[in-house]
Amino acid sequence: MKTLKELLRASVWTHSLGPGELARVEKELGNLKRIVEEFLVYARQLPVEKHPVTLAEVVAEVAGLVDVPIEGTVPGDVVVQADRQQLRRLLLNLTRNGIQAMETATE
């Protein structure tokens, strides 16, 4: 997928695409890559490794990934027993689904 993005930037196709359209193609390629990676992880059924996880840290990490301000706060002392990567994936998927639902609702 990285190669396709590089080809798009260098090809004559970019002359007919505006800068916003090219950025959207790149963003969608990134989303597609994440979906494939998540599917591969799901297909492998990795064992759950529960450890103490500070919820505020995972929420802040997810907020940084989606580049959308998240309203509200999570107290810094909330610790849960969870698999950090699975919790991160869960929160990231919920956040992305919420963003997509809001975008669809405003169209």
Side-chain angles (χ1 to χ4, degrees):
M1 286 184 218
K2 182 178 180 183
T3 305
L4 177 59
K5 185 164 70 172
E6 291 168 356
L7 286 172
L8 273 174
R9 283 195 175 278
S11 78
V12 293
W13 293 350
T14 58
H15 298 293
S16 63
L17 293 175
E21 292 168 317
L22 182 58
R24 183 177 174 132
V25 168
E26 289 176 341
K27 180 181 176 185
E28 292 305 319
L29 283 172
N31 288 337
L32 182 58
K33 179 183 177 198
R34 282 188 294 273
I35 289 169
V36 169
E37 289 171 351
E38 289 170 2
F39 177 76
L40 291 174
V41 168
Y42 175 77
R44 279 186 251 144
Q45 292 292 318
L46 299 174
V48 175
E49 295 184 25
K50 291 184 180 181
H51 301 283
V53 176
T54 304
L55 191 56
E57 290 175 5
V58 180
V59 169
E61 184 180 338
V62 169
L65 290 172
V66 295
D67 196 30
V68 171
I70 295 179
E71 293 182 18
T73 59
V74 176
D77 61 347
V78 175
V79 177
V80 296
Q81 289 291 325
D83 183 303
R84 183 181 179 87
Q85 292 306 314
Q86 288 185 359
L87 180 60
R88 180 185 165 279
R89 240 185 333 271
L90 168 76
L91 293 174
L92 187 57
N93 286 339
L94 287 172
T95 304
R96 284 186 183 143
N97 290 346
I99 291 168
Q100 290 173 352
M102 288 188 300
E103 288 172 351
T104 303
T106 59
E107 292 176 355

